[in-house]
Amino acid sequence: MKIAVLSGKGGTGKTFVSVNLAAASKSSLYVDCDVEEPNGYLFFKPENVDKRPIEVKIPYFNEELCSGCRKCVDFCKFNALAYIGNRVKVFDRLCHSCGGCSLLCERKAIFEKDKIIGFIELGASENVQVATGILNTGESTGVPIIKKLLEIIKERDKNTFIDCPPGSACTVMESIKESDYCILVAEPTLFGRHNLKMVYELVKLFNKPHGAILNKYMDGDNPSEEFCLENHIKILGKVPFDKNLARINSKGIIAVREYEVYRNLFKKILADLEEEVRYETAINSKW
Ligand code: SF4
Ligand code: SF4
């Protein structure tokens, strides 16, 4: 099964949930698609890491062929091109490598060259294969790196946990595309409820089966829990508010590998998750 783990903002516990679910599985693949700030590797400390560059195509111009018509500048919706001092200038950090400008130029004055925008790292940590996407600072989009990570998922037949970027932008949409099920991680505050609503609307839009994990759970009012009950979102688990857990996380320790109470909690979530995915797969195959 392929499980995407989402949250409306960073710091909600998305990486904590993905890392511990992957570690609680017998054999699994953890994929860090939070390419602007990957941090799952700090917990797994993978060994035998294979680092591969990710390249995209960036246009460059032959000034002798260019007529100065500026059609390419008008075409680029990302404002990555400007006509300055009788020549076209490329702002390559804004370019999304769509290839449109070079297709459009009637004078064939635009060529493409490769540019490295980041890396993927593949390693192993006990029972978990770890794939991490890393976007170089200042680059405009991590989508090409996420696409490469998703190719790895297709190659491997394992329980896979996709640690998505926070929010609901295009990198998140790309990250959940291949998933069988989405876990929405939420905090027990009004802001947490707002963030939960954001990712809930996204998974509904993509028609993805989903459930929630309530993190930092305490007795008393819990606006995120209320949102789940109002919208019939299955609550897969409740991770209690625990200062010791904060200490464990800050030291980069994987809770399920060290503490039985968390091993039991995540094994139970995993069992419920497998049941959910089986059920959803059976329903979908009927249609
Ligand atoms: S479309 Fe081609 S010819 Fe026109 S400005 Fe751009 S590069 Fe030059
Ligand atoms: S490849 Fe696409 S995004 Fe990049 S400069 Fe050309 S039109 Fe703009």
Side-chain angles (χ1 to χ4, degrees), residues 53-59 90-95 97 112-118 136-140 144:
I54 303 297
E55 293 175 336
V56 294
K57 302 278 183 203
I58 298 289
V90 188
F91 298 95
D92 61 5
R93 290 198 161 166
L94 296 180
C95 173
S97 304
E112 290 180 327
K113 61 183 174 189
D114 291 328
K115 181 192 171 200
I116 295 175
I117 58 158
N136 287 345
T137 308
E139 294 300 341
S140 59

Side-chain angles (χ1 to χ4, degrees), residues 197-215:
K197 182 170 180 280
M198 212 160 82
V199 281
Y200 170 66
E201 282 169 1
L202 181 74
V203 295
K204 287 246 295 183
L205 191 69
F206 276 71
N207 206 19
K208 292 283 180 188
H210 53 272
I213 290 184
L214 302 175
N215 196 17

